[in-house]
Amino acid sequence: MLGNKNPFKNKKVKPWGVSLLSAVAVGVPTIPAFAANSIGSAYIFTCALCAGAASYFTLHTSKSKSEIERSAVFEAAIEPLSKRIGKLLESPQEFDQERDRIIQRLVETTGELVHPRALSALYWLSEDAADINISAFNNKAKEAGMQEKFSRETDKGRFLISIAQSTDESSGGRHVQDFRKDPDRQRIYMADDCKSALFKPVRSGESSRGLLVLQAQKPGHIPREIKDDERINTIINLIGFLRQLEKPDIPHAGGVPAQPGAPVVQPRQSKPDGTAL
């Protein structure tokens, strides 16, 4: 009989359905903490997008072992980081340090996504865009002695700054398959004899002021398809969002806030003989 059949039997879980559930699970608990903040809706949307993307990639891109591994790395990193971002504005005194720690972990995750031995570093332009300076990097980049600062006065500096300031979203950055055969090899910076690389601009607000640098030892270790990988793009968007996020005002300790209206004047008291006290 029709009434005895289980309506959910033999139904397959749809990737978009799991993505939606993950987005709701992560995004909804953040609403109370951010309801009174001007960036609340932007954060909730970003957080939900990350959670949804993580589940979607895990379910939908299992075409190869490397894809499965990348999805697992992405999801394992994004879930705890989304919770840390949710608490970022709750402790203004620790805002700068906590934001730096989150960005550091995001930069490390990009290296883990592309290759087990990849170098990953985030560079940021100076206010006058004359220099570009390293602001976060993984241990492999540190061990390789990745250069910390570049200036417009050098070919390599101009090359990196031009990519960092790129506003062409369709380009997706600059991929290097084999440094030895690249036509720009004279001005491309490669650390520690690395042969493959990816340079991705990072937008913050209305402009692009950052540069994510990924490098690996052998040609092809950083595959060409990574250039347009949505997991990498999601992390880059998160980094840009966090760099744009402003530290909340710290309430003044003690003291009673001033009350609106004119001050109340107390009448002067007098002695029985009429003289003032």
Side-chain angles (χ1 to χ4, degrees):
M1 294 177 62
L2 184 61
N4 294 332
K5 289 185 179 180
N6 186 342
F8 298 102
K9 188 176 182 179
N10 298 325
K11 295 286 186 181
K12 293 184 178 180
V13 177
K14 304 295 185 183
W16 62 264
V18 178
S19 299
L20 179 61
L21 290 174
S22 297
V24 171
V26 174
V28 169
T30 68
I31 293 176
F34 286 84
N37 195 286
S38 60
I39 56 90
S41 58
Y43 166 70
I44 294 167
F45 174 77
T46 303
C47 191
L49 176 64
C50 292
S55 294
Y56 183 84
F57 281 120
T58 300
L59 292 168
H60 205 68
T61 62
S62 303
K63 297 179 181 179
S64 65
K65 181 180 178 181
S66 61
E67 281 298 308
I68 296 173
E69 291 172 349
R70 286 187 186 122
S71 293
V73 167
F74 180 83
E75 189 166 1
I78 290 298
E79 184 176 356
L81 282 178
S82 67
K83 296 176 181 178
R84 289 178 67 178
I85 295 172
K87 297 178 180 178
L88 186 58
L89 299 182
E90 294 179 3
S91 302
Q93 295 84 352
E94 301 177 5
F95 177 85
D96 294 328
Q97 298 89 333
E98 182 62 16
R99 180 175 64 175
D100 289 346
R101 284 191 287 265
I102 294 172
I103 291 177
Q104 171 70 26
R105 182 65 191 113
L106 288 170
V107 172
E108 292 171 349
T109 300
T110 59
E112 296 166 6
L113 282 172
V114 297
H115 193 273
R117 294 186 295 278
L119 287 61
S120 61
L122 176 68
Y123 287 84
W124 213 256
L125 286 168
S126 59
E127 287 298 323
D128 59 2
D131 305 300
I132 190 165
N133 304 274
I134 200 166
S135 64
F137 48 88
N138 67 357
N139 285 331
K140 294 177 179 64
K142 181 179 180 180
E143 294 167 1
M146 185 168 277
Q147 191 167 322
E148 296 182 2
K149 180 179 179 179
F150 295 89
S151 169
R152 282 189 183 275
E153 297 176 358
T154 66
D155 287 340
K156 288 180 172 59
R158 285 191 294 271
F159 182 74
L160 292 175
I161 290 173
S162 67
I163 300 175
Q165 292 184 310
S166 173
T167 57
D168 183 5
E169 297 182 2
S170 63
S171 67
R174 177 70 157 80
H175 178 260
V176 178
Q177 180 72 14
D178 186 345
F179 171 71
R180 298 166 300 181
K181 301 177 181 178
D182 197 285
D184 288 321
R185 61 185 177 275
Q186 298 300 326
R187 60 192 188 120
I188 295 177
Y189 169 72
M190 301 293 282
D192 196 29
D193 281 337
C194 287
K195 300 297 188 299
S196 59
L198 178 63
F199 303 88
K200 294 273 289 184
V202 181
R203 293 185 63 83
S204 180
E206 298 299 322
S207 60
S208 180
R209 300 193 59 85
L211 183 67
L212 179 68
V213 178
L214 302 166
Q215 297 187 353
Q217 289 288 333
K218 295 184 179 181
H221 267 186
I222 297 183
R224 190 177 301 277
E225 60 269 19
I226 284 293
K227 183 170 178 279
D228 300 312
D229 191 284
E230 287 303 320
R231 288 160 291 206
I232 298 290
N233 290 337
T234 296
I235 290 176
I236 286 176
N237 290 336
L238 264 178
I239 292 174
F241 168 78
L242 289 167
R243 286 296 303 238
Q244 187 184 9
L245 194 60
E246 295 182 359
K247 183 177 181 178
D249 293 332
I250 300 176
H252 295 291
V256 178
Q259 300 298 318
V264 177
V265 179
Q266 298 292 337
R268 298 181 65 183
Q269 297 181 356
S270 61
K271 296 179 181 179
D273 60 1
T275 59
L277 289 174

